[in-house]
Amino acid sequence: MGRSKGGSTIRNRIKELRAARGWSQTTLAEQLGISRQTVNNLETGRNDPSLLLAFRLSWLFELPLEELFMVTTEERVALTGAAWEYQDRLATAFNEISVLEQMGREGWELVSFGPLVLNFRRPETVSARAHWEYCRTVGLPSSGGRKELEQAGWTYAGSWLSYHYFKRQSCVKGAAF
């Protein structure tokens, strides 16, 4: 196991899937023939799995690798040499959520926002795109609430007035653009 190029790790859903099955880290470790510490390091992003361990996790959770491990859009764009395209969308408090949902389904990532406008980007190359989910909270979540969001894969995208926005790449099976 080791860190990927550039020192970053690949985001994974191991903790979420383990918890959904009611397994402890020790139980998962025993099923995989690894230590509990290794499971902890994978779940916290300290290490990436070896290729063999990634396949074992995929088989155990009965999910394709792409639904278990996610790379960032930046990594996809860098690998494919794609360029970014940008789009601004007008949005009000009445339609903002539907605009975010539509743009996320079309592979647009929220990068900034201001009064009545949401700014998005996505790779020009279709194969480098990802679907996005968005979460808007009223009032900043407590540190514990924010930590829970981050552990569920949400990234803080910014604030506007009393609204706080989070985003994450979604795992959409068989999605096409």
Side-chain angles (χ1 to χ4, degrees), residues 130-141:
H131 284 84
W132 289 89
E133 296 176 298
Y134 298 99
C135 172
R136 180 182 76 179
T137 65
V138 177
L140 191 60

Side-chain angles (χ1 to χ4, degrees), residues 85-156:
E85 57 184 350
Y86 295 88
Q87 186 176 121
D88 295 339
R89 288 287 304 268
L90 294 177
T92 67
F94 299 108
N95 73 348
E96 179 183 71
I97 299 300
S98 63
V99 169
L100 286 168
E101 288 173 354
Q102 175 197 359
M103 297 299 279
R105 281 191 307 271
E106 294 176 7
W108 293 97
E109 175 189 8
L110 179 68
V111 291
S112 65
F113 44 84
L116 301 176
V117 67
L118 301 172
N119 312 111
F120 296 92
R121 73 175 183 178
R122 73 177 179 185
E124 288 180 346
T125 305
V126 173
S127 64
R129 293 181 187 163
H131 284 84
W132 289 89
E133 296 176 298
Y134 298 99
C135 172
R136 180 182 76 179
T137 65
V138 177
L140 191 60
S142 66
S143 62
R146 186 167 171 171
K147 185 176 181 179
E148 283 180 29
L149 285 168
E150 290 170 352
Q151 287 177 338
W154 294 98
T155 301
Y156 183 67

Side-chain angles (χ1 to χ4, degrees), residues 17-65:
L17 295 167
R18 176 185 56 77
R21 286 164 176 74
W23 296 342
S24 67
Q25 287 184 342
T26 302
T27 301
L28 179 58
E30 288 171 355
Q31 290 182 12
L32 295 168
I34 60 176
S35 71
R36 188 208 55 80
Q37 185 63 37
T38 298
V39 170
N40 186 59
N41 286 342
L42 294 170
E43 289 183 353
T44 58
R46 284 190 205 93
N47 291 105
D48 289 335
S50 67
L51 185 56
L52 178 59
L53 182 54
F55 274 109
R56 286 180 178 170
L57 287 160
S58 173
W59 298 328
L60 183 63
F61 290 121
E62 299 176 338
L63 287 173
L65 289 171

